[in-house]
Amino acid sequence: MAEETAKRKADHIRIATRSNVQARKVSTGFEDICLIHKALPEVDKDKINLSTTFLDHKFKAPILVSAITGGTTEAEEINAAIATAVEKLGLGMGVGSQRAALDDKRLERTFSIVRKKAPEAFLMANIGGVQFAREYTISEARKAIEMIDADALAIHLNPLQEVVQPEGETSFKGVFEKIWEITQALDKPVIVKETGAGISAEEAKKLEAVGVKGIDVSGVGGTSFAAVEYFRTKGDESANQRKLGQLLWDWGIPTAISIVEVVQTVNIPVIASGGIRNGLEAAKALALEASLVGLAQPVLQAAIKGVEEVEKTLEFLIEELRNAMFLVGAENLQQLRKVSLVITGKVAEWLKQRGFNIESYALRGRA
Ligand SMILES: Cc1cc2nc3c(=O)[nH]c(=O)nc-3n(C[C@H](O)[C@H](O)[C@H](O)COP(=O)(O)O)c2cc1C
């Protein structure tokens, strides 16, 4: 079982870095979020302050490397490279699902390396919601946290992936109740994250009500797990899975939409992720009042080349974000959350039909 999980993790890394597993016909929606340019920014670009506090932890910039991996030798190197870079830059990271190491202690070091390389950074443990519903208890949640001395536990929701995965676990009944149990029993904060298909307002509200302390929307527009699993299918026995992978390749709630749905519904911090690829998109997500921005695939791509490449990728992302903040006249993240923006196109249409207020964003700067 642990071997099978480790093999799956190795497949995921290979496929996500060598095949095109990005959304094809659906975008994140950030092209419909228009920040309003300021010809008079009245800001010294070099003095822009990107620091923030998330769940009582200080970040030098509002960036979290999303959960990616663990459980194989290659994953250990990837985790070490990411952890070293986030420690240096004062950011945070989530490890990938710790299931392989919970099943086989010998794989623990592929995860625990992150705390060794990042003694101060914000680190998030990771277990799938469906694992809790099927087999795990609070004991596994505690072990996952201890394994990396984590600051929080992320419970991931991946119904789309499980549908397309040949060995998928689709009995999701009871996942919500388990999340409730875990939030009550743990003394560390629980974050619930999707894995590329987004979270709606209704679900965010339910999660907040049972004590979840943060929501990572991980919407559609970036890495598609239907696509990743599509590339893992082989042979005639997986023909239906392959068809499902193609059918559901772009399934989900676009990231920009999911951010607004969740931010306007709950009072807990929201992490924006799913297809964020540059600092301008990061600025848009933060202007929509996300607390942090997360990226997986671009960081994985850099991490297979080594720590310097991860550092370069993250540093440039921060530089892009700083430039976007300059152009809208925001000296810090509080000001960025108050800049005017206009929502157009499919994002506006969706949000209006769902009863969300979009006019207030455009009027922010005119009071
Ligand atoms: C190779 C790979 C493995 C992943 N494994 C996990 C995982 O174990 N747990 C999890 O919560 N998310 C996992 N994710 C999902 C990411 O955390 C993220 O939500 C998703 O990839 C969307 O972000 P992106 O478009 O920036 O890649 C994985 C992503 C990739 C690319």
Side-chain angles (χ1 to χ4, degrees), residues 241-261:
Q241 246 60 36
R242 207 158 27 248
K243 275 193 216 154
L244 280 172
Q246 269 179 323
L247 177 71
L248 300 172
W249 193 290
D250 293 315
W251 175 267
I253 307 172
T255 298
I257 292 173
S258 192
I259 296 169
V260 176
E261 288 225 354

Side-chain angles (χ1 to χ4, degrees), residues 66-68 96-97 126 156 193 195 218 222-223 225 275 277 295-297:
S66 301
I68 301 173
S97 166
N126 188 295
H156 73 254
K193 78 179 282 291
T195 47
S218 191
T223 306
F225 258 87
R277 297 292 175 260
L295 300 86
Q297 208 278 344

Side-chain angles (χ1 to χ4, degrees), residues 303-318:
I304 54 176
K305 296 190 187 138
V307 59
E308 289 79 22
E309 198 64 24
V310 180
E311 249 179 72
K312 256 203 284 179
T313 302
L314 293 171
E315 272 171 348
F316 191 61
L317 178 78
I318 294 167

Side-chain angles (χ1 to χ4, degrees), residues 2 5-6 9 70-72 96-112 126 136 140 143-144 147-148:
T5 311
K9 296 289 136 189
T72 66
S97 166
Q98 287 164 268
R99 185 179 178 189
L102 291 170
D103 293 347
D104 180 352
K105 267 180 94 59
R106 288 170 302 175
L107 298 175
E108 281 185 5
R109 62 184 167 73
T110 68
F111 292 95
S112 55
N126 188 295
Y136 288 169
E140 279 80 13
K143 276 189 209 151
M147 199 186 296
I148 63 163

